[in-house]
Coordinates of all heavy atoms in Angstrom, one line a residue:
T118 N 25.0 0.0 -11.5 CA 23.9 -0.1 -12.4 C 22.9 -1.2 -12.0 O 21.7 -1.0 -12.1 CB 24.5 -0.5 -13.8 OG1 25.4 0.6 -14.2 CG2 23.4 -0.5 -14.8
R119 N 23.4 -2.3 -11.5 CA 22.5 -3.4 -11.0 C 21.7 -2.9 -9.8 O 20.5 -3.2 -9.7 CB 23.3 -4.6 -10.6 CG 23.8 -5.4 -11.8 CD 24.4 -6.8 -11.4 NE 24.9 -7.5 -12.5 CZ 26.2 -7.3 -13.0 NH1 27.0 -6.5 -12.4 NH2 26.6 -8.0 -14.1
Q120 N 22.4 -2.1 -8.9 CA 21.7 -1.6 -7.8 C 20.6 -0.6 -8.3 O 19.5 -0.5 -7.7 CB 22.6 -0.9 -6.8 CG 23.5 -1.8 -6.1 CD 24.5 -1.1 -5.2 OE1 24.6 0.1 -5.2 NE2 25.3 -1.9 -4.5
L121 N 21.0 0.2 -9.3 CA 20.0 1.2 -9.8 C 18.8 0.5 -10.4 O 17.7 1.0 -10.2 CB 20.8 2.1 -10.9 CG 20.0 3.2 -11.5 CD1 19.6 4.2 -10.4 CD2 20.8 3.9 -12.5
V122 N 19.0 -0.5 -11.2 CA 17.9 -1.3 -11.8 C 17.0 -1.9 -10.7 O 15.8 -1.8 -10.7 CB 18.4 -2.4 -12.7 CG1 17.3 -3.3 -13.1 CG2 19.1 -1.7 -14.0
A123 N 17.7 -2.4 -9.6 CA 16.9 -2.9 -8.5 C 16.1 -1.8 -7.8 O 14.9 -2.1 -7.5 CB 17.8 -3.6 -7.5
L124 N 16.6 -0.6 -7.7 CA 15.8 0.5 -7.2 C 14.7 0.9 -8.1 O 13.6 1.2 -7.6 CB 16.7 1.7 -6.9 CG 17.6 1.6 -5.7 CD1 18.6 2.7 -5.7 CD2 16.8 1.5 -4.4
I125 N 14.9 0.9 -9.4 CA 13.9 1.2 -10.3 C 12.8 0.2 -10.3 O 11.6 0.5 -10.5 CB 14.5 1.4 -11.7 CG1 15.3 2.7 -11.8 CG2 13.4 1.5 -12.8 CD1 16.1 2.8 -13.0
N126 N 13.1 -1.1 -10.0 CA 12.2 -2.2 -9.9 C 11.6 -2.3 -8.5 O 11.2 -3.4 -8.2 CB 12.8 -3.5 -10.4 CG 13.1 -3.5 -11.9 OD1 12.5 -2.7 -12.6 ND2 14.0 -4.3 -12.3
T127 N 11.6 -1.3 -7.7 CA 11.1 -1.3 -6.4 C 9.6 -1.7 -6.4 O 8.8 -1.2 -7.2 CB 11.3 0.0 -5.7 OG1 12.7 0.3 -5.6 CG2 10.7 0.0 -4.3
K128 N 9.2 -2.6 -5.4 CA 7.8 -3.0 -5.3 C 7.2 -2.5 -4.0 O 7.9 -2.3 -3.0 CB 7.7 -4.5 -5.4 CG 7.9 -5.2 -6.7 CD 7.7 -6.7 -6.6 CE 7.8 -7.4 -7.9 NZ 7.5 -8.8 -7.7
H129 N 5.9 -2.3 -4.1 CA 5.1 -2.0 -2.9 C 3.8 -2.9 -3.0 O 3.0 -2.8 -3.9 CB 4.7 -0.6 -2.8 CG 3.8 -0.2 -1.7 ND1 4.2 -0.3 -0.3 CD2 2.5 0.2 -1.6 CE1 3.2 0.0 0.4 NE2 2.1 0.3 -0.3
K130 N 3.7 -3.8 -2.0 CA 2.5 -4.7 -2.0 C 2.4 -5.5 -3.3 O 1.3 -5.7 -3.8 CB 1.2 -4.0 -1.6 CG 1.2 -3.5 -0.2 CD -0.1 -3.0 0.1 CE -0.1 -2.7 1.6 NZ -1.5 -2.4 2.1
G131 N 3.5 -5.9 -3.8 CA 3.5 -6.8 -5.0 C 3.4 -6.0 -6.4 O 3.4 -6.6 -7.4
D132 N 3.3 -4.7 -6.3 CA 3.3 -3.9 -7.5 C 4.5 -3.0 -7.7 O 5.0 -2.5 -6.7 CB 2.0 -3.0 -7.5 CG 0.7 -3.7 -7.5 OD1 0.7 -4.9 -8.1 OD2 -0.3 -3.2 -7.1
Y133 N 5.0 -3.0 -9.0 CA 6.1 -2.1 -9.2 C 5.7 -0.6 -9.2 O 4.6 -0.3 -9.8 CB 6.7 -2.4 -10.6 CG 7.3 -3.8 -10.7 CD1 6.7 -4.8 -11.2 CD2 8.6 -4.0 -10.2 CE1 7.2 -6.1 -11.3 CE2 9.2 -5.2 -10.3 CZ 8.5 -6.3 -10.8 OH 9.1 -7.5 -10.9
I134 N 6.4 0.2 -8.5 CA 5.9 1.6 -8.2 C 6.4 2.5 -9.3 O 5.8 3.6 -9.4 CB 6.3 2.1 -6.8 CG1 7.8 2.2 -6.6 CG2 5.7 1.2 -5.8 CD1 8.2 2.8 -5.3
F135 N 7.4 2.2 -10.1 CA 7.9 3.1 -11.1 C 7.6 2.7 -12.5 O 8.3 2.9 -13.5 CB 9.4 3.3 -11.0 CG 9.8 3.9 -9.7 CD1 10.6 3.3 -8.8 CD2 9.3 5.2 -9.3 CE1 11.0 3.9 -7.6 CE2 9.7 5.8 -8.2 CZ 10.5 5.2 -7.3
N136 N 6.5 2.0 -12.8 CA 6.1 1.5 -14.1 C 4.8 2.0 -14.6 O 4.1 1.3 -15.3 CB 6.2 0.0 -14.3 CG 6.5 -0.4 -15.7 OD1 6.9 0.4 -16.5 ND2 6.1 -1.7 -16.0
G137 N 4.3 3.1 -14.1 CA 3.1 3.7 -14.5 C 1.9 2.8 -14.2 O 1.7 2.3 -13.1
L138 N 1.1 2.6 -15.3 CA -0.1 1.8 -15.1 C 0.2 0.3 -15.2 O -0.7 -0.5 -14.8 CB -1.2 2.2 -16.2 CG -1.7 3.6 -16.1 CD1 -2.6 3.9 -17.2 CD2 -2.3 3.9 -14.8
Q139 N 1.3 -0.1 -15.7 CA 1.7 -1.5 -15.8 C 2.4 -2.0 -14.6 O 3.6 -2.3 -14.6 CB 2.5 -1.8 -17.1 CG 1.7 -1.4 -18.3 CD 2.6 -1.7 -19.6 OE1 3.7 -1.9 -19.5 NE2 1.9 -1.6 -20.7
T140 N 1.7 -2.1 -13.5 CA 2.4 -2.3 -12.2 C 2.8 -3.7 -12.0 O 3.5 -4.0 -11.0 CB 1.4 -1.9 -11.0 OG1 0.2 -2.7 -11.1 CG2 1.1 -0.4 -11.1
K141 N 2.3 -4.6 -12.8 CA 2.7 -6.1 -12.7 C 4.0 -6.4 -13.5 O 4.5 -7.5 -13.3 CB 1.6 -7.0 -13.2 CG 0.3 -6.8 -12.3 CD 0.5 -7.1 -10.9 CE -0.8 -6.9 -10.1 NZ -0.5 -6.9 -8.7
L142 N 4.4 -5.5 -14.4 CA 5.6 -5.7 -15.2 C 6.8 -4.9 -14.6 O 6.6 -3.7 -14.2 CB 5.4 -5.3 -16.6 CG 4.2 -6.1 -17.3 CD1 4.0 -5.4 -18.7 CD2 4.6 -7.5 -17.4
P143 N 8.0 -5.5 -14.6 CA 9.1 -4.7 -14.1 C 9.5 -3.6 -15.1 O 9.5 -3.8 -16.3 CB 10.3 -5.7 -14.0 CG 9.9 -6.8 -14.8 CD 8.4 -6.9 -14.9
P144 N 9.8 -2.4 -14.6 CA 10.2 -1.3 -15.5 C 11.5 -1.6 -16.3 O 11.5 -1.3 -17.5 CB 10.4 -0.1 -14.6 CG 9.7 -0.5 -13.3 CD 9.7 -1.9 -13.2
L145 N 12.4 -2.2 -15.7 CA 13.7 -2.5 -16.3 C 14.2 -3.9 -16.1 O 13.9 -4.5 -15.0 CB 14.8 -1.5 -15.8 CG 14.7 -0.1 -16.3 CD1 15.8 0.7 -15.6 CD2 14.8 0.1 -17.8
S146 N 15.0 -4.4 -17.0 CA 15.6 -5.7 -16.7 C 17.1 -5.5 -17.3 O 17.3 -4.8 -18.2 CB 14.9 -6.9 -17.4 OG 14.9 -6.7 -18.8
V147 N 18.0 -6.2 -16.7 CA 19.4 -6.1 -17.1 C 19.7 -7.3 -17.9 O 19.5 -8.5 -17.5 CB 20.3 -6.1 -15.8 CG1 21.8 -6.1 -16.2 CG2 20.0 -4.9 -15.0
E148 N 20.2 -7.1 -19.1 CA 20.7 -8.1 -20.0 C 22.3 -8.0 -20.0 O 22.8 -7.0 -20.3 CB 20.2 -8.0 -21.4 CG 18.7 -8.1 -21.4 CD 18.1 -7.9 -22.8 OE1 18.9 -8.0 -23.8 OE2 16.9 -7.7 -22.9
T149 N 22.9 -9.1 -19.6 CA 24.4 -9.0 -19.5 C 25.0 -9.7 -20.7 O 24.4 -10.6 -21.3 CB 24.9 -9.7 -18.2 OG1 24.4 -11.1 -18.2 CG2 24.3 -9.0 -17.0
S150 N 26.1 -9.3 -21.0 CA 26.9 -9.9 -22.1 C 28.3 -10.1 -21.7 O 28.9 -9.3 -21.0 CB 26.8 -8.9 -23.3 OG 27.7 -9.4 -24.3
A151 N 28.9 -11.2 -22.1 CA 30.2 -11.5 -21.7 C 31.2 -10.6 -22.4 O 32.3 -10.4 -22.0 CB 30.6 -13.0 -22.1
S152 N 30.8 -10.0 -23.6 CA 31.7 -9.2 -24.3 C 31.7 -7.7 -23.9 O 32.4 -6.9 -24.4 CB 31.4 -9.3 -25.8 OG 30.2 -8.8 -26.0
A153 N 30.9 -7.3 -23.0 CA 30.7 -5.9 -22.6 C 31.8 -5.6 -21.5 O 31.5 -5.5 -20.3 CB 29.3 -5.7 -22.1
T154 N 33.0 -5.5 -21.9 CA 34.1 -5.2 -20.9 C 34.8 -3.9 -21.4 O 34.6 -3.5 -22.5 CB 35.1 -6.4 -20.8 OG1 35.8 -6.5 -22.1 CG2 34.5 -7.7 -20.4
V155 N 35.7 -3.4 -20.5 CA 36.5 -2.3 -20.9 C 37.4 -2.5 -22.0 O 37.6 -1.7 -22.9 CB 37.3 -1.8 -19.6 CG1 38.2 -0.7 -20.0 CG2 36.3 -1.3 -18.6
D156 N 38.0 -3.8 -22.1 CA 38.9 -4.1 -23.1 C 38.2 -4.1 -24.5 O 38.7 -3.6 -25.5 CB 39.5 -5.5 -22.9 CG 40.5 -5.5 -21.7 OD1 41.0 -4.4 -21.5 OD2 40.6 -6.6 -21.1
D157 N 36.9 -4.6 -24.5 CA 36.1 -4.6 -25.8 C 35.8 -3.1 -26.2 O 35.9 -2.8 -27.3 CB 34.9 -5.4 -25.6 CG 35.1 -6.8 -25.4 OD1 36.1 -7.3 -25.9 OD2 34.3 -7.5 -24.8
Y158 N 35.6 -2.3 -25.2 CA 35.3 -0.9 -25.5 C 36.5 -0.2 -26.1 O 36.5 0.5 -27.0 CB 34.9 -0.2 -24.2 CG 34.6 1.3 -24.4 CD1 33.5 1.8 -25.0 CD2 35.6 2.2 -23.9 CE1 33.3 3.1 -25.2 CE2 35.4 3.6 -24.1 CZ 34.3 4.0 -24.7 OH 34.1 5.4 -24.9
N159 N 37.7 -0.5 -25.5 CA 39.0 0.1 -26.0 C 39.2 -0.4 -27.4 O 39.7 0.3 -28.2 CB 40.1 -0.3 -25.0 CG 40.0 0.5 -23.7 OD1 39.4 1.6 -23.7 ND2 40.6 0.0 -22.7
E160 N 39.0 -1.7 -27.6 CA 39.2 -2.3 -29.0 C 38.3 -1.6 -30.0 O 38.7 -1.3 -31.1 CB 38.9 -3.8 -29.0 CG 40.0 -4.6 -28.3 CD 41.3 -4.5 -29.0 OE1 41.3 -4.5 -30.3 OE2 42.3 -4.4 -28.3
L161 N 37.0 -1.4 -29.6 CA 36.1 -0.7 -30.5 C 36.6 0.8 -30.8 O 36.5 1.2 -31.9 CB 34.7 -0.6 -29.9 CG 33.9 -1.9 -29.9 CD1 32.6 -1.8 -29.1 CD2 33.6 -2.3 -31.4
N162 N 37.1 1.4 -29.8 CA 37.6 2.8 -29.9 C 38.8 2.8 -30.9 O 38.8 3.6 -31.8 CB 38.0 3.4 -28.6 CG 36.9 4.2 -27.9 OD1 35.9 4.5 -28.6 ND2 37.0 4.4 -26.7
R163 N 39.7 1.9 -30.7 CA 40.9 1.8 -31.6 C 40.4 1.5 -33.0 O 40.9 2.1 -34.0 CB 41.8 0.7 -31.1 CG 42.8 1.2 -30.0 CD 43.9 0.2 -29.7 NE 43.9 0.1 -28.3 CZ 43.7 -0.9 -27.5 NH1 43.4 -2.0 -28.0 NH2 43.7 -0.8 -26.2
A164 N 39.5 0.6 -33.2 CA 39.0 0.2 -34.5 C 38.4 1.4 -35.2 O 38.5 1.7 -36.4 CB 38.1 -1.0 -34.5
Y165 N 37.6 2.2 -34.4 CA 36.9 3.4 -34.9 C 37.9 4.4 -35.3 O 37.8 5.0 -36.4 CB 36.0 3.9 -33.8 CG 35.3 5.2 -34.2 CD1 34.3 5.3 -35.2 CD2 35.8 6.4 -33.7 CE1 33.7 6.4 -35.6 CE2 35.2 7.6 -34.1 CZ 34.2 7.6 -35.0 OH 33.6 8.8 -35.4
F166 N 38.9 4.7 -34.5 CA 39.9 5.7 -34.8 C 40.8 5.3 -36.0 O 41.2 6.1 -36.8 CB 40.8 6.1 -33.6 CG 40.0 6.9 -32.6 CD1 39.8 6.5 -31.3 CD2 39.5 8.2 -32.9 CE1 39.1 7.3 -30.4 CE2 38.8 9.0 -32.0 CZ 38.6 8.5 -30.8
D167 N 41.1 4.0 -36.0 CA 41.9 3.5 -37.2 C 41.1 3.7 -38.5 O 41.6 4.0 -39.5 CB 42.3 2.0 -37.0 CG 43.3 1.9 -35.9 OD1 43.9 2.9 -35.5 OD2 43.5 0.7 -35.4

Side-chain angles (χ1 to χ4, degrees):
T118 302
R119 284 188 184 91
Q120 290 177 359
L121 185 62
V122 169
L124 285 171
I125 291 170
N126 290 337
T127 299
K128 286 183 174 185
H129 175 68
K130 292 190 172 187
D132 293 334
Y133 293 99
I134 63 174
F135 295 121
N136 203 20
L138 297 176
Q139 297 179 353
T140 60
K141 299 299 180 193
L142 301 174
L145 289 178
S146 62
V147 176
E148 296 178 19
T149 59
S150 170
S152 64
T154 64
V155 173
D156 291 333
D157 294 333
Y158 176 74
N159 289 337
E160 287 297 319
L161 285 172
N162 268 345
R163 276 191 224 115
Y165 174 75
F166 286 117
D167 289 343

